[in-house]
Amino acid sequence: MILVETLMLRVDTDNRWSYRHALTRQRRGESPDEAARRLGGVEPQDPDTVVHSTSWRYEPDSGVVLTYVVCPDPAPWLPAVEAPELEIARGRAPATPSPERVALANVVAHAVRHLGLLMAEDPVVSRVLSRHPAIALALEPAGAPA
C-alpha cells in the first residue's frame, strides 16, 4: 500500500517553521503528485507554490508513505503546528539507513532541509520561494539547521 502525505509549510513572524499535515490514499487513476496537490489545495498551474516530493519511508502498519512538501502553505489562515527543533532522524550505521523510529517532527525537519537544498540548487524552486522573503530567509544556511 502507498500513502501520500503532505506537509504544508509556513514561516511564522519569529522565523520558526509551522506546518499542516495531511495523509491520503491515491484515488483511482491519480498520480502521487496529483494526490499531493489535492491535499494541499494547489492547482498544477500555480506559479507561487512549490510542491515537491521530499522523502519516503516504510511504516509496518501503513506501508510506504510518500512525503511531499507544499510551500508556502496555500491556506495560512488555517491552524498549524509549530515545528520543534529541526532534528533529522538517522539510521545507526552506514548500511542500515532506516532509523528505529521516525516522528512527524523528523519528517518536517527533513522537508525543510530538502527545501534549503532546492533553494540553493534548483532555479525553479529558488525563483518561487525567493518571492516569499520570510521563507527565503528561513532557508538560508543559518536559518535552516540540519
Side-chain angles (χ1 to χ4, degrees):
M1 173 183 358
I2 296 177
L3 295 175
V4 175
E5 169 180 69
T6 59
L7 300 169
M8 284 68 70
L9 294 177
R10 64 178 87 153
V11 174
D12 296 327
T13 54
D14 60 356
N15 203 38
R16 299 224 8 129
W17 289 96
S18 292
Y19 66 93
R20 290 186 304 118
H21 175 256
L23 190 64
T24 192
R25 294 177 202 254
Q26 293 167 251
R27 294 178 177 164
R28 172 173 260 157
E30 184 179 56
S31 73
D33 290 1
E34 291 166 331
R37 282 195 301 269
R38 174 172 51 84
L39 282 178
V42 178
E43 294 296 323
Q45 310 82 358
D46 185 332
D48 292 319
T49 307
V50 170
V51 177
H52 188 82
S53 173
T54 183
S55 63
W56 69 271
R57 66 186 181 280
Y58 173 76
E59 293 188 352
D61 296 335
S62 306
V64 175
V65 180
L66 299 176
T67 303
Y68 283 77
V69 62
V70 177
C71 189
D73 183 348
W77 57 88
L78 294 176
V81 175
E82 186 175 289
E85 181 85 22
L86 296 178
E87 183 178 328
I88 305 292
R90 293 176 169 84
R92 290 181 181 247
T96 57
S98 295
E100 285 184 26
R101 179 169 132 41
V102 178
L104 185 56
N106 302 128
V107 179
V108 171
H110 182 85
V112 169
R113 187 174 184 179
H114 194 139
L115 273 183
L117 174 67
L118 292 171
M119 186 76 173
E121 303 275 331
D122 184 320
V124 172
V125 170
S126 180
R127 187 169 44 253
V128 172
L129 295 182
S130 291
R131 293 194 298 257
H132 304 277
I135 290 169
L137 179 64
L139 289 173
E140 288 181 1

